[in-house]
Amino acid sequence: MGQYYVGVDVGGTTVKMGLFSDVGELLEKWEIPTCLEDHGSHVLTDIVDSIESKRCKWEGNIRGIGVGIPGPVTDDGVVLKCANLGWGVFSVKNELASLTGVGNVKVANDANVAALGEMWRGGGRGYDSIVMVTLGTGVGGGIIHQGKILTGSRGAGGEIGHTKVNPNETQTCGCGNRGCLEQYASATGIVRMAKEHLPENSCLFNQEITAKTVFDGAKAGDEYCKEVVDKFGRYLGLALSNVAHVIDPEAFVIGGGVSAAGQIILDVVEKYYEENSMYALKDRKFHLAELGNDAGIYGTVRMVMFK
Amino acid sequence: MGQYYVGVDVGGTTVKMGLFSDVGELLEKWEIPTCLEDHGSHVLTDIVDSIESKRCKWEGNIRGIGVGIPGPVTDDGVVLKCANLGWGVFSVKNELASLTGVGNVKVANDANVAALGEMWRGGGRGYDSIVMVTLGTGVGGGIIHQGKILTGSRGAGGEIGHTKVNPNETQTCGCGNRGCLEQYASATGIVRMAKEHLPENSCLFNQEITAKTVFDGAKAGDEYCKEVVDKFGRYLGLALSNVAHVIDPEAFVIGGGVSAAGQIILDVVEKYYEENSMYALKDRKFHLAELGNDAGIYGTVRMVMFK
């Protein structure tokens, strides 16, 4: 009879799920919609039903279930409010253990499990201490310290997107503050910066501006796009240098939709990281994430496979 | 026969040493001068001689020796260059173990052991996850994560003094960069700020300016001193908020000579910490350090008493 692990990555729209062998091989992955009705009270039962319906097919024993949640989670699996799902404070770990009968359940923040997944099987392979930053609509972060997620005392470890990089900013971030990294390094932030002083001679003029068109323009030699990319790199390099002065990681992994731009991102971020870092923190490694949307399910399974 | 632990805090001028009982009580403390001749090659032998000369008196067994060093040290006790002492790269742990015959030796950075000491017996009692910042001639930092020093991959964890808080700074920090926290929150930095636009109607005018006279002036209601203290708090509060977004500690402990000013420091730092922090990171505790110069020897002994 097979021995399996299940990885669950809960998002605001879909729940990504993966079945892994007992040596950590991804055997099958699938998605179910996230039901936001009734304050998200169906989310966990939907997950359990989905696991059960697959269980017949696998004919095996589930040795552990790992879960990623888009909100702060403590080390003992208590979610501390999750606005995206409508959840208040409760133990996801205990609830899921009781619904499934599986004792080995672990729960963590989604950005944190993505970081753990990348360390295990992605861009952070070979390290046990990394900082991962996810550049999407917002900027997420996850820190792996000595092979484990750095959760923090109330689940807010690795919230790199809201470190301050520009005390002079006048516009407000989604979090209510001003000058957060997210305002410059997210897809939204890049578009905002690109629109600010857009000159007529830029290739961006009269076309739809996205993070991709900005990076493509810079690669093609457009001076204005290069300026915007430089500004992006200046803030992200500064933020990652500040993070390094706190936890001194071996390497950084950059993921999320924006990172599809590739090497150009590593180059500009590394340049400004070096410029801002004291001697003992220079020469850290920068890598692109490799697992894309699967990073979360890998990370959740890594949590329950290795204590 | 007694069972003892020895704590050693190596500074650039003196080595502070303490003898502790096997329940962690400080029984005796003393100092020896730090001999900087011959690239600091006498420092460890002087320490060993001093321990030996006390050994006769104690008539007991040394169960462990903890050491704090003013430079980056890895988790396995290798110092990675220590300019203050003239040291290169070598295993302080192995050297001291072989010189003394004591197997249980641990070595860490001095700011980090001070943080551990404050968590154990000082301002951070009752927490197991704190950030300590030491405001002296420079700004040192130490992070305790789940009861242990966060050393970092190459001994540079907790270097909070060199996180950047002001991208517009034109003057250069001791580290070679610009805009580091140390330029505003150290005693030197406070004096520098106070001298910048000193008006004739300030109580500081025509007197020697020190961090103490600035804080004393602010307490007495001097408007200009209050401005300088506000600026100090703005930068330190911002820096500690940035640190919190990385590791989410339970509490902050503020020590070093500058912290003698007392409550006024906690008030202004907490104000700006709150202003800069996202919802999940608000309401952290701020405490003054309590152990003064003994924090280091307490912390080194804590390292060897509890694995």
Side-chain angles (χ1 to χ4, degrees):
Chain A
M1 201 168 74
Q3 303 289 325
Y4 302 112
Y5 290 91
V6 178
V8 182
D9 188 4
V10 183
T13 314
T14 59
V15 180
K16 294 179 187 64
M17 301 175 74
L19 175 76
F20 290 75
S21 73
D22 61 354
V23 293
E25 195 186 350
L26 177 57
L27 303 172
E28 182 183 348
K29 60 177 177 172
W30 70 100
E31 293 183 8
I32 59 172
T34 308
C35 173
L36 298 176
E37 285 168 27
D38 306 326
H39 299 289
S41 61
H42 307 292
V43 174
L44 289 186
T45 47
D46 287 352
I47 290 169
V48 174
D49 289 346
S50 181
I51 294 175
E52 285 304 326
S53 71
K54 296 272 177 181
R55 238 180 184 170
C56 317
K57 179 176 153 195
W58 306 328
E59 290 182 352
N61 177 36
I62 298 178
R63 300 183 64 172
I65 303 175
V67 185
I69 299 289
V73 183
T74 65
D75 268 333
D76 49 4
V78 175
V79 59
L80 303 173
K81 219 167 98 168
C82 180
N84 291 344
L85 304 178
W87 288 1
V89 179
F90 73 103
S91 173
V92 176
K93 178 191 163 88
N94 290 351
E95 180 100 8
L96 209 55
S98 109
L99 286 170
T100 57
V102 175
N104 181 18
V105 174
K106 284 194 181 163
V107 187
N109 171 268
D110 56 354
N112 291 347
V113 292
L116 189 61
E118 288 289 342
M119 183 206 78
W120 188 32
R121 292 288 166 89
R125 272 191 317 277
Y127 303 109
D128 80 344
S129 160
I130 66 166
V131 171
M132 180 173 173
V133 62
T134 304
L135 311 175
T137 314
V139 172
I143 292 166
I144 307 302
H145 172 63
Q146 298 181 337
K148 291 198 161 54
I149 290 171
L150 195 156
T151 306
S153 71
R154 294 190 217 161
E159 282 287 359
I160 298 168
H162 299 286
T163 57
K164 301 290 168 306
V165 289
N166 180 12
N168 306 319
E169 180 61 58
T170 53
Q171 293 191 36
T172 306
C173 177
C175 75
N177 282 317
R178 284 193 299 274
C180 297
L181 173 63
E182 184 162 296
Q183 291 181 276
Y184 314 96
S186 64
T188 328
I190 294 166
V191 170
R192 181 181 71 95
M193 289 191 293
K195 285 181 174 167
E196 249 167 20
H197 307 289
L198 182 57
E200 291 193 15
N201 68 353
S202 165
C203 68
L204 296 179
F205 200 76
N206 278 335
Q207 72 158 310
E208 193 201 356
I209 301 179
T210 65
K212 183 175 181 340
T213 57
V214 172
F215 283 106
D216 286 347
K219 287 177 194 170
D222 183 277
E223 286 304 324
Y224 182 70
C225 290
K226 281 158 75 177
E227 270 174 43
V228 175
V229 168
D230 191 75
K231 202 169 166 187
F232 154 88
R234 200 156 68 230
Y235 286 120
L236 184 51
L238 167 63
L240 295 185
S241 171
N242 278 345
V243 173
H245 284 80
V246 181
I247 58 144
D248 181 10
E250 298 171 279
F252 295 90
V253 177
I254 302 181
V258 171
S259 72
Q263 188 63 36
I264 187 173
I265 292 201
L266 300 184
D267 292 344
V268 72
V269 172
E270 200 168 346
K271 174 186 164 196
Y272 286 106
Y273 171 84
E274 288 289 317
E275 203 173 295
N276 283 291
S277 296
M278 61 188 290
Y279 178 76
L281 289 162
K282 290 190 192 289
D283 296 325
R284 293 300 184 270
K285 300 296 177 196
F286 287 78
H287 300 279
L288 293 169
E290 294 175 6
L291 301 177
N293 289 333
D294 293 346
I297 52 174
Y298 274 98
T300 55
V301 163
R302 177 63 163 72
M303 282 198 300
V304 284
M305 279 189 72
F306 305 94
K307 302 288 163 73
Chain B
M1 202 168 74
Q3 302 289 326
Y4 302 112
Y5 291 91
V6 179
V8 181
D9 188 5
V10 182
T13 314
T14 60
V15 179
K16 294 179 186 64
M17 300 175 75
L19 176 74
F20 289 75
S21 73
D22 61 355
V23 292
E25 195 186 351
L26 177 57
L27 302 172
E28 182 183 349
K29 59 177 178 172
W30 71 99
E31 293 184 7
I32 59 172
T34 307
C35 174
L36 297 178
E37 285 168 27
D38 305 326
H39 299 287
S41 61
H42 307 293
V43 174
L44 290 186
T45 48
D46 286 354
I47 290 170
V48 174
D49 289 347
S50 181
I51 295 175
E52 286 304 326
S53 72
K54 295 273 176 179
R55 238 181 186 172
C56 317
K57 178 177 153 196
W58 305 330
E59 291 182 350
N61 178 36
I62 298 178
R63 300 185 65 173
I65 303 174
V67 185
I69 299 290
V73 183
T74 65
D75 267 333
D76 50 2
V78 175
V79 58
L80 303 174
K81 218 166 98 171
C82 180
N84 290 345
L85 304 178
W87 287 1
V89 179
F90 73 104
S91 173
V92 176
K93 177 190 163 88
N94 291 350
E95 180 100 7
L96 209 57
S98 109
L99 287 169
T100 57
V102 174
N104 181 17
V105 174
K106 283 195 182 162
V107 187
N109 171 269
D110 57 355
N112 291 347
V113 292
L116 188 62
E118 288 289 342
M119 183 206 77
W120 187 33
R121 293 287 168 89
R125 274 190 316 278
Y127 303 109
D128 80 343
S129 160
I130 64 165
V131 171
M132 180 172 173
V133 62
T134 304
L135 311 175
T137 314
V139 171
I143 292 166
I144 307 301
H145 171 63
Q146 297 181 336
K148 292 197 161 55
I149 290 171
L150 195 156
T151 306
S153 70
R154 294 190 217 161
E159 282 286 0
I160 299 168
H162 299 286
T163 57
K164 301 291 168 304
V165 289
N166 180 12
N168 306 319
E169 180 62 56
T170 53
Q171 294 189 38
T172 306
C173 177
C175 75
N177 282 317
R178 284 193 299 273
C180 296
L181 173 64
E182 183 162 296
Q183 291 182 276
Y184 315 95
S186 63
T188 328
I190 294 165
V191 170
R192 180 181 71 94
M193 289 191 293
K195 285 182 174 167
E196 251 168 18
H197 308 286
L198 182 58
E200 291 192 15
N201 66 353
S202 165
C203 67
L204 297 178
F205 199 77
N206 277 335
Q207 71 157 311
E208 193 201 355
I209 300 179
T210 64
K212 183 176 179 343
T213 57
V214 172
F215 283 105
D216 284 347
K219 287 177 195 170
D222 183 279
E223 287 303 324
Y224 182 70
C225 290
K226 281 159 73 177
E227 270 173 43
V228 176
V229 168
D230 191 76
K231 201 169 166 187
F232 154 88
R234 201 156 66 230
Y235 286 120
L236 184 51
L238 167 63
L240 295 185
S241 170
N242 278 345
V243 173
H245 284 80
V246 181
I247 58 143
D248 180 10
E250 297 171 280
F252 295 91
V253 176
I254 302 181
V258 171
S259 73
Q263 188 63 37
I264 187 173
I265 292 201
L266 300 185
D267 292 343
V268 71
V269 172
E270 201 169 344
K271 174 186 164 193
Y272 286 106
Y273 171 85
E274 288 289 317
E275 203 173 293
N276 283 290
S277 296
M278 61 188 292
Y279 179 75
L281 289 162
K282 291 191 189 289
D283 298 324
R284 293 301 185 269
K285 301 294 177 194
F286 286 79
H287 301 280
L288 293 169
E290 294 176 6
L291 300 177
N293 290 332
D294 292 346
I297 52 173
Y298 274 97
T300 55
V301 163
R302 178 63 164 73
M303 282 198 298
V304 285
M305 277 190 72
F306 304 93
K307 301 291 164 69

